[in-house]
């Protein structure tokens, strides 16, 4: 299975390349720009893949509010460019979307969003990703669209840190932390997301999938679990979003769960705490 991975230097891209092994071709931002439709078609025609996995995104959520043009160019038009070019050579396409397509309204804790829930994004990033989802589905019948959330992985992305790394570094250098309790999500380990993506491709699955590590937590609980596992004993001060709102409105509840994985006989991903422990181990932050 010859597979192109776009966004190969990113945290998910790196884990996809490892999961795919031989037959995978990684393309970084310097090799391909998804906003350049002509260039995307040329490269995909040259490579003749069976699948194209597109992890490229403009996903700095607050910056998307300031630059909707770039947000739509990468997350919507760029997604369509890749899906269309893949379709032209008979390849399937995988596109990653976000929990921020949901508004969380009416969802009490422990009732995660499934693929059956209608999107209602609250910010430009979510709107551009929802547009991307629809354009991918329109351009290529052999599509897998994956909504995920709170990604972290062992590869260092351009951001330079993951949320758990940031918490550990701040706790060690500043000795105190303040994290919001009023936003709940399903944090997701890219190592596991890559393996589950591959399982869906191998089964020729199509359509929309909500794929996250199992369960849900607030950012505060995520930070607390990280410090507990890392053996750092400090109290994390609880805070509310209103005390430090970003430019973008964020859903207060965006945990997700899949009702569609079972259709293809694919196991759900392990619970988020187990995944976090595996990650901290793989980073050498805790011993096995
Ligand atoms: N991170 C999260 O918490 C999260 C949550 C939900 C969904 N997602 C989605 O999951 C996917 C993977 O996220 P990630 O965390 O792995 O992102 P990441 O680490 O930032 O990787 C994204 C990759 O895309 C590349 N890229 C950016 N713009 C591009 C363009 N115009 N053309 C080609 N390549 C471009 C980046 O290269 P440069 O860095 O060199 O620009 C980078 O290699 C994205 O679609 C994202 O929207 C992420």
């Amino acid at each position: 299975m010859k597979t192109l991975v776009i966004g190969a230097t990113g945290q998910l891209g790196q884990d996809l390349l490892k999961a795919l092994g031989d037959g995978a071709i990684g393309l970084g931002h310097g090799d391909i720009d998804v906003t350049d439709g002509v260039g995307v078609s040329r490269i995909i025609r040259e490579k003749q893949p069976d699948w194209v996995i597109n992890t490229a995104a403009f996903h700095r959520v607050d910056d998307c509010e300031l630059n909707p043009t770039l947000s739509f160019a990468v997350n919507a038009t760029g997604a369509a460019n890749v899906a269309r070019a893949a379709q032209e050579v008979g390849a399937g396409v995988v596109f990653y979307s976000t929990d921020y397509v949901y508004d969380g309204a009416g969802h009490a804790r422990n009732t995660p969003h499934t693929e059956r829930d209608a999107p209602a994004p609250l910010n430009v990033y979510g709107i551009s990703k929802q547009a991307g989802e629809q354009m991918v589905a329109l351009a290529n019948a052999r599509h897998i669209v994956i909504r995920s959330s709170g990604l972290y992985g062992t590869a260092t992305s351009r951001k330079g840190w993951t949320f758990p790394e940031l918490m550990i570094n701040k706790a060690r250098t500043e000795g105190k932390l303040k994290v919001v309790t009023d936003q709940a999500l399903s944090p997701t380990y890219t190592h596991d997301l890559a393996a589950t993506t591959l399982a869906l491709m191998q089964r020729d699955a199509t359509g929309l999938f909500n794929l996250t590590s199992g369960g849900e937590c607030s950012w505060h609980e995520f930070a607390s679990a990280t410090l507990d596992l890392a053996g750092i004993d400090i109290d994390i001060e609880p805070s509310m979003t209103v005390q430090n709102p970003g430019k973008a409105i964020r859903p207060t509840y965006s945990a997700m769960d899949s009702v569609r994985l079972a259709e293809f006989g694919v196991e759900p991903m392990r619970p988020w705490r187990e995944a976090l422990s595996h990650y901290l181990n793989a980073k050498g932050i805790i011993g096995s």
Side-chain angles (χ1 to χ4, degrees):
M1 187 161 69
K2 187 172 172 186
T3 305
L4 283 190
V5 177
I6 298 175
T9 58
Q11 45 182 0
L12 178 57
Q14 290 282 303
D15 276 331
L16 283 163
L17 287 173
K18 277 190 223 148
L20 286 157
D22 292 343
I25 302 169
L27 299 174
H29 202 162
D31 305 311
I32 191 168
D33 183 343
V34 297
T35 65
D36 168 13
V38 174
V40 167
S41 283
R42 179 180 45 76
I43 292 166
I44 291 179
R45 255 197 327 273
E46 271 168 22
K47 306 281 185 201
Q48 292 288 317
D50 304 302
W51 281 93
V52 182
I53 307 182
N54 177 16
T55 75
F58 180 45
H59 61 78
R60 292 193 308 271
V61 180
D62 291 318
D63 292 346
C64 288
E65 298 294 309
L66 300 173
N67 198 342
T69 306
L70 181 59
S71 184
F72 272 79
V74 180
N75 300 333
T77 312
N81 289 339
V82 174
R84 196 180 315 108
Q87 193 273 337
E88 282 164 5
V89 299
V93 67
V94 180
F95 172 66
Y96 292 92
S97 184
T98 168
D99 54 326
Y100 282 5
V101 298
Y102 296 117
D103 63 4
H107 271 253
R109 280 193 78 143
N110 300 318
T111 52
H113 293 276
T114 73
E115 296 91 347
R116 293 186 185 131
D117 291 334
L122 298 171
N123 54 49
V124 170
Y125 173 61
I127 295 169
S128 69
K129 279 289 191 177
Q130 188 194 352
E133 293 179 359
Q134 292 174 326
M135 288 167 91
V136 166
L138 204 63
N140 191 328
R142 249 184 99 205
H143 64 270
I144 298 176
V145 170
I146 295 172
R147 291 179 181 153
S148 195
S149 70
L151 298 191
Y152 64 94
T154 52
T156 306
S157 70
R158 191 198 274 270
K159 237 177 2 186
W161 44 264
T162 61
F163 179 78
E165 273 176 314
L166 181 68
M167 294 300 104
I168 289 169
N169 291 344
K170 279 189 112 163
R172 284 189 177 142
T173 54
E174 296 170 23
K176 58 179 184 180
L177 278 178
K178 198 169 169 182
V179 183
V180 290
T181 54
D182 62 348
Q183 288 177 42
L185 75 158
S186 304
T188 301
Y189 185 27
T190 52
H191 170 278
D192 295 353
L193 181 58
T196 305
T197 301
L198 188 52
L200 288 173
M201 288 161 58
Q202 284 163 341
R203 287 161 178 79
D204 258 320
T206 50
L208 174 68
F209 295 86
N210 284 7
L211 299 187
T212 64
S213 295
E216 64 185 63
C217 58
S218 67
W219 287 104
H220 188 277
E221 288 165 321
F222 189 21
S224 300
T226 303
L227 298 195
D228 279 354
L229 286 164
I232 300 171
D233 185 20
I234 64 160
D235 285 333
I236 305 177
E237 189 184 334
S239 76
M240 303 292 279
T241 306
V242 70
Q243 292 173 261
N244 190 14
K247 289 200 168 44
I249 302 170
R250 287 158 167 84
T252 53
Y253 184 86
S254 64
M256 293 193 287
D257 196 7
S258 179
V259 292
R260 292 209 60 227
L261 269 186
E263 272 178 47
F264 296 90
V266 177
E267 288 292 312
M269 282 184 250
R270 67 184 134 183
W272 68 267
R273 274 175 205 275
E274 276 175 40
L276 177 61
S277 172
H278 185 280
Y279 161 79
L280 293 170
N281 207 295
K283 287 291 279 185
I285 294 168
I286 60 174
S288 46

